Amino acid sequence: GSVIVYDNSGKHEDTDDPQFSKNGEIYVVPTSGTGHPTRLTNDQVDDNAPAFSPDGRQIAYFHGGEIWGMNRSGGNEHMILGNGQGGFTPRWSPDGSKIAFTTCCGPDHNVELGTWYTKHPTVLTGVVDVKTGRVTDLSNIGMSTDYNVPQWTDNQHLLVLRVPTH
């Protein structure tokens, strides 16, 4: 609770889909308001959607089409989910043993976003075991957009705004 982690693309943000800005980097800033932001990544790869582990020691984040992890201070960068498996919007389970993530893409469909409709692909859900790297594919659970990401309700259950997938 003493530090906030966030991504920032500065003036080069992709306004169509900021989560995938090509120059996004990860920062932390003290919640006290007395410190300055500290940049944790500087690699010219899209680093976005960071999430602290429940114990606050690790950060999971989207890194160029994969899910990576690093120490709270930015060291020990390592791949958690990759090798073509994709994955974005990582969310740690309460016990820190798993990370829920989303992947793209299922079929496009009309999605209501406020007062307008737009075409979006179905965003699919998966879970990776942090220690073993074993992935549980939940491809029968899709969401209409990545605006609503999976959230853990406990160590075994996810809350997902679901749309049917075929």
Side-chain angles (χ1 to χ4, degrees):
S2 63
V3 177
I4 296 171
V5 63
Y6 66 98
D7 61 70
N8 188 345
S9 297
K11 64 182 179 179
H12 302 290
E13 183 173 83
D14 179 347
T15 56
D16 290 331
D17 198 349
Q19 178 177 341
F20 298 106
S21 292
K22 299 297 181 218
N23 60 337
E25 300 294 350
I26 307 298
Y27 294 79
V28 291
V29 65
T31 57
S32 65
T34 59
H36 296 285
T38 301
R39 187 175 184 169
L40 301 182
T41 60
N42 189 11
D43 52 24
Q44 305 305 309
V45 174
D46 44 339
D47 294 328
N48 300 295
F52 272 119
S53 61
D55 65 8
R57 295 180 183 175
Q58 295 286 311
I59 298 170
Y61 60 103
F62 174 85
H63 173 79
E66 302 170 333
I67 294 178
W68 279 47
M70 66 179 151
N71 295 340
R72 172 189 173 124
S73 61
N76 191 32
E77 294 97 349
H78 58 282
M79 185 180 4
I80 296 172
L81 177 71
N83 299 323
Q85 295 179 359
F88 49 97
T89 62
R91 296 295 183 264
W92 294 86
S93 61
D95 66 4
S97 67
K98 298 176 282 256
I99 296 175
F101 62 93
T102 50
T103 59
C104 194
C105 293
D108 280 2
H109 59 279
N110 282 319
V111 177
E112 182 180 356
L113 296 173
T115 58
W116 52 280
Y117 286 85
T118 184
K119 283 268 191 200
H120 278 282
T122 304
V123 179
L124 305 176
T125 307
V127 175
V128 61
D129 182 290
V130 175
K131 286 186 181 174
T132 67
R134 182 174 173 262
V135 175
T136 302
D137 179 17
L138 304 175
S139 61
N140 64 332
I141 300 175
M143 297 172 294
S144 55
T145 72
D146 61 345
Y147 301 143
N148 298 307
V149 298
Q151 298 296 325
W152 291 92
T153 59
D154 59 33
N155 289 316
Q156 299 298 320
H157 299 93
L158 288 168
L159 177 64
V160 177
L161 180 59
R162 184 176 183 262
V163 296
T165 60
H166 305 287

